[in-house]
Amino acid sequence: MTSTALTRRSLLAGLLAAPSLAYAAPKALLSNADFRGGLDASQFGVRPGDLDRGAKAFNRMLKEAASRNLPVFLPPGHYQVGNIELPENIQIMGVPGATRLIYSGDGSFIRSVGAKRITLSNLVIDGANRWLADDQSGLMTFQQTGKLSIENCEILGAQKFAIWAERCKGRINDNAISGAAESAVFAVECSDFSIRDNEVSDCGNGGILVHRWAKGFDGTVVTGNRISRIRANAGGTGECGNGINVYRADDVQISNNYVTDCAFTAIRSNAGSNVQITGNHCLRSGETAIYSEFGFDGAMISSNLIDGAANGILSVNFNEGGRLAVINGNIIRNLKLTAPYEEDGAFFGIGIEAESDAVVSANLIEDAPRWGMLIGWGPYLRDVNVTGNVIRKAPVGIAATVVEGAGHAAIRQNLFSGISEAAVAGYRWADKVTGDLTQPGAETFAHLDVGENRIS
């Protein structure tokens, strides 16, 4: 045993001491930039900790890299810069968590207009909560970028939007974005865009926004993001304070996101047609957890888990053209009667509300302090099928409108448990005007088909 141990020690010592076994890197490879096939930032006077160079040296380096179609590698350190204009076909890389671009406060930080391709990766982009000029929409502003890629970056301290992407294609993936005074991502008039696997937190008015100036095809995919602590500093009744917000953007897919502690809504789609909202985890929303509202035509809302909102899922505003929804297989529980503003015509404590051309099936609702479901509102009801749901622990299981002019609804084969007032009741607007419509001898309405429901 002793002889073997000594031999191993001798061998190890010999390996460490033998110069012939050591790899002597050529001088050309000693630069991280050269090793990665990019430009050496120091050759342009861009060095960590040198705070006097401003943007001129940095922009000169970027133009040279773009002209030669080479990437730029920034070694670890702090680079205090501003007024950075990203040229055509630029790629900037750093060391994750160690290469830090700090905004100098000169009015704009990073922006680009009309570039075909921009790639930023492995950078810390720090706005330092400094002032941004009126023409700088975000800490990073991209307009008409053919292929934008922002990956594995940490973005913080934006006094406006952290990322403003206007009329862009590309992806914003695997980033950590926090502390934006407005929202983490504002993607407007984009197409075929991907926003996935980002961590978004502590923003002043929103998380991820997918908007259009005019309603039309968008096709953005928002998936796998973790969004938390979104405030509504600008106030309002839902314009702000949403984890994911779609506005006028059609054919958007929102899936498998984990959205918690939003002042208003975890996922809000306003006038977004053909939206898919599936497989999301929505906890502690201040108002409605999932909204499809106003002029939308088509919404698939399925397999979401909602806990601790004021309302669960609302597919509403038939009076404004909101129609055509499938609400299926969701779990909604532990709702509340309070929200960030007074009711004043709004109602809280509702599991699901649907108004027009909708299938509401196989959902489980538990602990809805007002209504498990609200079907229709006044005369705004048309072709709603409510089947196979389980509603537990609510004063009224399903509140269905019986106002003159309301369209048809079928309420069949649902299971009610722990209902204190009525499994199904008729409402004239907010007023309950019938007893339990599931009971023998109950009043009937030509537009309602109530049958085969079970009460336990």
Side-chain angles (χ1 to χ4, degrees):
M1 293 292 292
T2 303
S3 174
T4 302
L6 288 172
T7 301
R8 287 175 178 166
R9 291 191 187 101
S10 300
L11 178 61
L12 209 58
L15 287 171
L16 292 172
S20 61
L21 297 177
Y23 174 70
K27 288 184 179 180
L29 293 181
L30 292 178
S31 165
N32 283 326
D34 290 339
F35 183 78
R36 290 171 176 255
L39 293 185
D40 184 349
S42 64
Q43 293 178 357
F44 292 83
V46 178
R47 299 179 179 87
D50 187 350
L51 306 183
D52 299 324
R53 295 280 178 175
K56 291 184 179 179
F58 203 95
N59 282 324
R60 187 168 64 250
M61 173 187 65
L62 298 182
K63 289 180 181 179
E64 178 69 16
S67 68
R68 295 168 58 186
N69 199 24
L70 292 175
V72 174
F73 173 73
L74 295 175
H78 291 188
Y79 301 81
Q80 184 162 308
V81 291
N83 292 315
I84 301 303
E85 300 283 347
L86 297 181
E88 176 72 38
N89 197 30
I90 191 68
Q91 180 178 359
I92 307 174
M93 303 175 293
V95 176
T99 301
R100 194 179 199 98
L101 301 181
I102 304 173
Y103 174 43
S104 59
D106 300 326
S108 73
F109 191 17
I110 295 172
R111 62 184 174 187
S112 179
V113 178
K116 290 183 179 178
R117 183 186 298 266
I118 292 174
T119 301
L120 304 176
S121 61
N122 302 326
L123 302 168
V124 179
I125 299 169
D126 186 354
N129 295 310
R130 290 181 173 141
W131 169 79
L132 289 162
D134 291 344
D135 63 351
Q136 180 77 351
S137 300
L139 186 66
M140 298 190 290
T141 300
F142 305 95
Q143 296 172 299
Q144 301 173 3
T145 302
K147 187 170 183 179
L148 172 64
S149 178
I150 304 174
E151 297 186 286
N152 201 32
C153 291
E154 182 180 352
I155 306 164
L156 65 156
Q159 270 295 295
K160 295 184 181 178
F161 298 93
I163 300 172
W164 176 286
E166 181 179 345
R167 294 188 172 95
C168 297
K169 294 184 178 182
R171 61 194 181 197
I172 300 172
N173 297 353
D174 296 294
N175 304 285
I177 309 173
S178 64
E182 289 294 338
S183 301
V185 177
F186 189 94
V188 59
E189 292 284 319
C190 293
S191 61
D192 303 323
F193 212 58
S194 169
I195 306 171
R196 68 173 67 223
D197 298 329
N198 300 284
E199 184 174 336
V200 172
S201 62
D202 300 297
C203 296
N205 283 311
I208 295 171
L209 279 57
V210 179
H211 285 201
R212 299 194 75 79
W213 305 131
K215 182 174 171 59
F217 174 81
D218 190 282
T220 293
V221 173
V222 183
T223 186
N225 301 283
R226 300 182 70 91
I227 303 171
S228 61
R229 298 185 300 278
I230 302 301
R231 303 184 303 277
N233 292 343
T237 57
E239 303 89 337
C240 302
N242 306 306
I244 299 170
N245 179 216
V246 172
Y247 180 56
R248 293 176 176 165
D250 295 345
D251 299 276
V252 175
Q253 183 186 98
I254 304 169
S255 63
N256 301 317
N257 300 283
Y258 200 98
V259 188
T260 65
D261 299 296
C262 296
F264 278 80
T265 298
I267 301 168
R268 191 180 202 104
S269 176
N270 185 321
S273 296
N274 290 344
V275 64
Q276 291 191 54
I277 304 173
T278 60
N280 300 284
H281 211 107
C282 308
L283 303 181
R284 298 181 297 276
S285 301
E287 194 213 33
T288 300
I290 296 177
Y291 237 133
S292 183
E293 60 178 349
F294 292 102
F296 74 92
D297 188 346
M300 174 70 73
I301 305 172
S302 64
S303 302
N304 301 284
L305 192 149
I306 295 168
D307 196 334
N311 293 322
I313 297 172
L314 270 58
S315 173
V316 294
N317 301 117
F318 182 30
N319 59 320
E320 299 285 347
R323 59 174 293 273
L324 205 66
V326 172
I327 304 172
N328 172 262
N330 302 282
I331 293 178
I332 303 167
R333 58 200 303 255
N334 299 323
L335 303 177
K336 56 191 179 183
L337 291 168
T338 58
Y341 57 93
E342 296 297 324
E343 283 191 340
D344 191 25
F347 294 98
F348 309 123
I350 307 168
I352 293 174
E353 181 178 355
E355 292 180 356
S356 178
D357 310 337
V359 174
V360 184
S361 63
N363 300 284
L364 194 155
I365 301 169
E366 182 176 78
D367 287 317
R370 188 183 300 272
W371 304 313
M373 292 185 188
L374 174 61
I375 304 303
W377 180 243
Y380 301 110
L381 171 67
R382 186 178 72 187
D383 300 341
V384 176
N385 188 7
V386 182
T387 58
N389 302 281
V390 176
I391 301 176
R392 305 184 67 252
K393 299 180 182 179
V396 174
I398 296 177
T401 181
V402 293
V403 170
E404 293 79 4
H408 290 89
I411 302 172
R412 304 184 68 84
Q413 297 181 340
N414 302 285
L415 175 62
F416 300 91
S417 175
I419 305 300
S420 58
E421 296 179 21
V424 180
Y427 276 74
R428 295 185 63 84
W429 302 101
D431 298 324
K432 182 170 171 286
V433 295
T434 74
D436 192 334
L437 300 181
T438 66
Q439 296 303 305
E443 187 177 358
T444 61
F445 296 86
H447 72 291
L448 295 181
D449 178 10
V450 180
E452 301 181 85
N453 297 286
R454 295 180 62 87
I455 302 170
S456 64

